Amino acid sequence: MALGNANTAAQARGKNPAVKIKKFKERNPDVFSLTASALVGSPACSIKNDQLTNTIYHNGSNNLPAVSDLVYTRLPLASSNLSGSGFYKIVVSGTYYNISTDSNGLIRRLDAC
């Protein structure tokens, strides 16, 4: 067998077939997506329900985010994708909420509308 060949001696003799690696898209089970309004500067409950046309994401442990969860504007969950400071109106299981985020995307307050 020549140097630089990636096959082992057993593979060269046909005893161990080469291993094929399948690519797959990484999924993060700890990501929840939310239907939301645009980020606004004041509490968002007054935004009309049909204006919830954005998708945001959070890293909490339930579909409903909680105080201290982080909000992201897109995937992947990276610091460059954290939300800015402001308010979102979201809907979870048919109930509407107002969430307040700080400049680091941290949820500071969550209230039902």
Side-chain angles (χ1 to χ4, degrees), residues 43-92:
C45 281
S46 62
I47 293 174
K48 294 180 181 178
N49 296 344
D50 64 355
Q51 293 179 317
L52 277 63
T53 57
N54 295 312
T55 301
I56 59 174
Y57 306 89
H58 73 90
N59 67 343
S61 57
N62 295 305
N63 196 32
L64 180 64
V67 172
S68 298
D69 289 348
L70 292 172
V71 174
Y72 300 84
T73 57
R74 62 184 179 272
L75 296 175
L77 301 187
S79 60
S80 60
N81 296 333
L82 283 167
S83 171
S85 177
F87 299 85
Y88 289 100
K89 183 175 183 179
I90 62 169
V91 60
V92 177

Side-chain angles (χ1 to χ4, degrees), residues 31-42:
V31 174
F32 293 93
S33 64
L34 299 167
T35 300
S37 67
L39 183 67
V40 295
S42 59

Side-chain angles (χ1 to χ4, degrees), residues 7-19:
N7 291 330
T8 66
Q11 288 172 331
R13 291 190 308 270
K15 294 193 178 214
N16 294 331
V19 176

